[in-house]
Amino acid sequence: MANNSYSGVKNSLVEANHDGEFGCTLKELRSLMELRGAEAISKIGESYGDTQGLCIRLKTSPVDGLSGQPADHEKRKTVFGQNLIPPKKPKTFLQLVWEALQDVTLIILEVAAIVSLGLSFYRPPDAEREHCGRAAGGVEDETESEAGWIEGAAILLSVICVVLVTAFNDWSKEKQFRGLQSRIEQEQKFTVVRGGQVIQIPVADIVVGDVAQVKYGDLLPADGVLIQGNDLKIDESSLTGESDHVKKTLEKDPMLLSGTHVMEGSGKMLVTAVGVNSQTGIIFTLLGSAEDDDEDEEEKKREKEEKKKQKKSEFKTCQEIKDGAAMEMQPLNSDEGGDAEEKKKANLPKKEKSVLQGKLTKLAVQIGKAGLVMSAITVLILVVLFVVDTFWIQNLPWVKDCTPIYIQFFVKFFIIGVTVLVVAVPEGLPLAVTISLAYSVKKMMKDNNLVRHLDACETMGNATAICSDKTGTLTMNRMTVVQAYIAEKHYRKVPEPESIPSNILDMLILGIAVNCAYTTKIMSPEKEGGLPRQVGNKTECALLGFSNDLKRDYQAIRKEIPEEKLYKVYTFNSVRKSMSTVLKMADGSYRMFSKGASEILLKKCYKILMANGEQKVFRPRDRDDMVKKVIEPMASEGLRTICLAYRDFSCSDGEPDWDNENDILSGLTCICVVGIEDPVRPEVPDAIRKCQRAGITVRMVTGDNINTARAIATKCGILLPGDDFLCIEGKEFNRRIRNEKGEIEQERIDKLWPKLRVLARSSPTDKHTLVKGIIDSTVAEQRQVVAVTGDGTNDGPALKKADVGFAMGIAGTDVAKEASDIILTDDNFSSIVKAVMWGRNVYDSISKFLQFQLTVNVVAVIVAFTGACITQDSPLKAVQMLWVNLIMDTFASLALATEPPTEALLLRKPYGRNKPLISRTMMKNILGHGVFQLIIIFTLLFAGEKMFDIDSGRNAPLHAPPSEHYTIVFNTFVLMQLFNEINARKIHGERNVFEGIFNNLIFCSIVFGTFIIQIVIVQFGGKPFSCVALTLDQWLWCTFLGFGSLLWGQVISSIPTSRLKFLKTAGHGTQKEEIPDEELEELDDMDEIDHAERELRRGQILWFRGLNRIQTQIRVVNAFRSSISLYEGLEKPESRTSIHNFMTHPEFRIEDSEPHIPLIDDTDAEDDAPTKRHSASPRNGTPSPTPNNNAVESSNHLLPEASKAGTPSAPGSPLHSLETSL
């Protein structure tokens, strides 16, 4: 072998020298990575001899890795490429401006302004002016009529202002998201060997020729070939669509692909392709990372048609997937790969918009409709009044010369109508939501919450239950051995090495050294006198620390027996709950060391080491004694108990059958049992108290035994002395929730979960069942919103099922992070409480903004409407309306959406999913302030000239100069809004509206800034703003009337809301029951229930679509769309930019032995959107066998679950476009 590989190397070096002196070219490596299984092995054999030969050609060592010299790395980057996929270019500012201009209301205004501009330059002959009626005549001198163009120009100018502000907002938001995205990417590190040292480097620094260590839970960052592996199983569903885990061995299939997940085992790989040359990168290049938007449109049309076809084939597909017509793993660019994806896609359930977004869209649509009706009526009344007055009362004929003048009037009426509409449509809503969320996400980074999906932030505010892990979240995850039972003696603290028989001690240290993952180690402390650093699995760190406490060096043993020499390793997984390593001894016999949960391993021990170093038989009776005397006392102190054992296989019996795990893992000899302490984090008890006060139930779900769990739960305050809460084990839990047939029944779960506080010895399936059971439950008056924390790969399904999944940033595996919505960068439970605070704050901010906005809307619309009807001219001019619109939309959304959260938010119960956005109290405030403002404005409008002793501004001719009268009306109106903005800071009827106002600098500066600009507009705005400079006492009066709204606010808050039964609430989410059946069927063809669409079905669709600003601003809200993870910033999902993001979610399968034929609606039922949960029967119309309409529950069978946030082939995701192109 060595011979031919050496000569092979020699020959090829001569040919391949052209490629930067590496022994193989980029092209060769790329074609190598397209092969799988046997093909790949034979190709490696032919071209390179073996993996060793490949290492030589790539100038790297399988043991020591690359030299680690910068020059070498640079060279490798230039020859083989860098490990990143170039991101899509962000939209330029001009593109954003262009998008903002697409707004229909703005376009109408522009057209009207241009027409008005054109007409203002037309001069009819003077003589005929008198024939055109009273309104047209009047005291116009030359300068006045020449200034007729100003209104048109001013409208255009204010439109430009609005557009620039919108575009700037979008631009800064996009920038924020890109920053966040790059931060997420920088945080991704991977373990490689360089210069013989194991180090962690950022994923982007990995180069071809690196030797990377892969372990359970990793997401592979590049393609490579396996050099050494233990029991390695990979989930390649992200690339092939096959959800079965693929076993990787040197003999059968050594090819590892980027974007796939390590589900079991560990090993080393030689990196052979990175970035755009890796398998994931090739797909990206196929997709054309920067597709044009118009292509997307066509894609969408094609998708729609495909969906319809797929609907029909759905049942067939389910069957096929189950029959496991497991196709051979194909290279990515083969057709079958595409089909598998296609199959999977047919089974993905639809994603529902976030709760808040649903409520908002619905509310905005309702407000918009009302505004549309009002503006239409306004225009109509104005036109009718004018026509009646001119042609009937004054009895004038229609003179041809007068036509332009009449048209000018009609244009003016039209402009007034449009401004009413502009003010009525709350286009600031999506802006407020986005600003509020973007602001929260940015601030949450400081509170150690890295938000991956924007809407998770808002959902957290509604959370009613948190299912938390114990290790690392509630505890410090710094494990130390504090007690031990060795050689028939129970030591309450770590024993002296002298007190243990030397042969037992040697056996113990050898077992610890080889049977802990080699990636786990104890490092010297970072600063003098600190604690030693624990790297890797914390339980194993505790054992290694124990060997150090016994004054023995485990590193020496590891040097003597490197990882390559281990004969076989059974790695830890959630089924085995133990780990074993087999060594081949010098005489040809084998010795296996095992470690695992004590109650599980002790059942497999039949001997135990005695004080004299001999073995004695270990009977079930002895075991029960040991459990009572050793294990239970340790557990009741909150210690985790681990048993260490070994077994010898003699050579005379021949080679054991290593695949028969049950036989191998039996007949063990117990060496010792250790108690490992993991102290509770000091800040946790307080955080849990806060949660309980805020109406959130904290449950602990752990794999530890029940006594340990109970002890820790009591320390944390989850269980309080004297409570009758349940604390049960996974087995008992399963017994209680299943019927005689072994099927899970929702009714049984409903009896259990309200009391359940601790679930111990739970499997990942139990965690998922519990989360699903609580979410689907209908016992409580509101649907529960569940948050889950997890760190392991096996927590994936539960994280994805939960409403909000928290992954651990430090201890969490990549798989868990991929499945989560928020990453806790400090692994600390108290950060979850912060997330709850921010979530509630988002909700409140939006309510504050609504309360303010709706008051302005109501008042402005009514004033414009009545004013127009009575005086034939709106008291608030178009330009003034646009300014008011700018204040109340853009500025107010900035001011009110950036209020920092306070502890007071945690003193109330969660709102729940069906709570209306606008509560009774808010409705009272809106109407109360509305009435006050209307009274003042109308008083000024109809009696103002007498009070201030000025000329009346009513019934002015067409191009009359602005009047003091109307300026006062406008000024008072704006000042009332300003003071009311301070009122809007409180929405629960608090008296002190100034509380904490100076903590929010943005708010203060916006209110102050608006006031300054208002002074400038009134004093120097002149004709464009239809304003006249006011005197000081007129200003004081206006300010006093504005200030009145603060005083009036106190009056309103004195009225108890409970008396006002007649007030309606508004802004509920759309409930499933409200949707008629035939519409439901139509909705099923769509991707998500779009509440706006539903409202519009009821007529005026076209009309309203044209005018609803929200539709065009939905791009802004896109950031907040559930299907987008932060990775994509604000662009289309095609622009996934890093290898890591390509793999959306691993497919999780949790199986039991029962076979199970899926029903048609299997997957639909599995991850149904909340609104669809209550449907009477599953959507395909097949009656479902279990009462709770979840076919899936009829066994422990999880079909590959659709991801919560953008499924591996959500329309528009890379894989989906790949399918369409294939």
Side-chain angles (χ1 to χ4, degrees), residues 445-465:
M445 296 281 278
K446 292 201 178 83
D447 285 337
N448 304 312
N449 283 292
L450 180 62
V451 182
R452 290 181 67 235
H453 303 133
L454 263 183
D455 55 335
C457 167
E458 162 250 321
T459 316
M460 223 21 233
N462 285 327
T464 54

Side-chain angles (χ1 to χ4, degrees), residues 276-296:
V276 284
N277 301 309
S278 66
Q279 291 300 303
T280 308
I282 293 171
I283 296 187
F284 271 112
T285 339
L286 279 178
L287 293 173
S289 207
E291 275 182 326
D292 294 336
D293 286 341
D294 26 24
E295 288 173 26
D296 295 345

Side-chain angles (χ1 to χ4, degrees), residues 502-519:
S502 60
N503 61 344
I504 296 186
L505 189 58
D506 294 341
M507 182 80 83
L508 175 64
I509 303 298
L510 177 63
I512 289 176
V514 296
N515 194 29
C516 286
Y518 277 41
T519 46

Side-chain angles (χ1 to χ4, degrees), residues 136 151 949 1220:
E151 179 162 43
D949 192 23
T1220 32

